Amino acid sequence: MTALAEAPAIDTVLAAAKTNPLVWAKLYLPHDVPLDYAPMHYDLMGLATTHRRTAFAAPRDHAKSTLCQKVLPLWAALEQPYGRPEQLLCVSASEDMAAGWLRKIKYELQSNAAIRWRYGDQETAKWTENYLELKNKTTLRGLGAEAAIRGRRP
């Protein structure tokens, strides 16, 4: 039997990607997750997908920033796992770092052929350095750790 015959059907993969950001990343961001996942990654995404507000700590070079600042926000913004538009905060040590992560998200939304094919053009007039509003009404905002979070409105 060939490897292709043993591969899961695309419908099965798409259904898994809808509920699992790690599967989603392998499908839409293979350049960001070229290696196999470690048990820590499954734990991290398990917490992130079952708790609306979560904080993580892990050693350096364990892909936590890639998973939590790029994969997870893109997945949540496009899949809308709670059945409604999300209001996502991407908090980094500084506002410049947060803006850098939003630039990476923006780049994927504008140039990733697989994402554009599956979700269409998501760009709206409300795209700034620290704020994105997608066509599906999800918003992403980048903040530095010292910024006030309460009372923020789009």
Side-chain angles (χ1 to χ4, degrees):
M1 189 173 272
T2 69
L4 186 56
E6 295 171 2
I10 190 65
D11 291 340
T12 303
V13 174
L14 291 174
K18 190 158 194 62
T19 59
N20 186 326
L22 295 176
V23 173
W24 189 92
K26 286 289 187 183
L27 192 59
Y28 296 105
L29 302 170
H31 50 280
D32 283 323
V33 289
L35 305 173
D36 289 335
Y37 296 118
M40 175 220 125
H41 299 125
Y42 292 101
D43 293 343
L44 187 121
M45 289 298 112
L47 286 170
T49 57
T50 57
H51 296 80
R52 295 215 17 112
R53 293 185 175 105
T54 308
F56 305 106
R60 191 177 201 80
D61 295 326
H62 279 66
K64 62 190 175 297
S65 293
T66 299
L67 291 175
C68 294
Q69 295 284 52
K70 186 174 180 184
V71 170
L72 191 59
L74 271 167
W75 170 79
L78 295 169
E79 289 295 345
Q80 296 183 342
Y82 298 104
R84 64 183 180 279
E86 300 292 327
Q87 294 180 359
L88 304 169
L89 286 178
C90 297
V91 180
S92 289
S94 70
E95 195 161 330
D96 285 344
M97 286 178 71
W101 284 108
L102 279 186
R103 276 192 299 277
K104 291 176 185 188
I105 289 169
K106 210 184 292 189
Y107 177 81
E108 295 295 344
L109 291 168
Q110 291 174 323
S111 65
N112 183 309
I115 288 175
R116 290 181 64 80
W117 177 82
R118 180 81 169 122
Y119 303 99
D121 176 21
Q122 289 293 319
E123 189 169 352
T124 68
K126 296 182 180 180
W127 280 36
T128 68
E129 180 82 358
N130 292 316
Y131 180 81
L132 304 174
E133 182 177 312
L134 307 185
K135 284 187 179 171
N136 68 11
K137 302 299 182 204
T138 290
T139 60
L140 297 102
R141 183 182 306 273
L143 296 173
E146 300 296 320
I149 294 175
R150 294 190 62 176
R152 294 251 175 195
R153 301 230 187 264

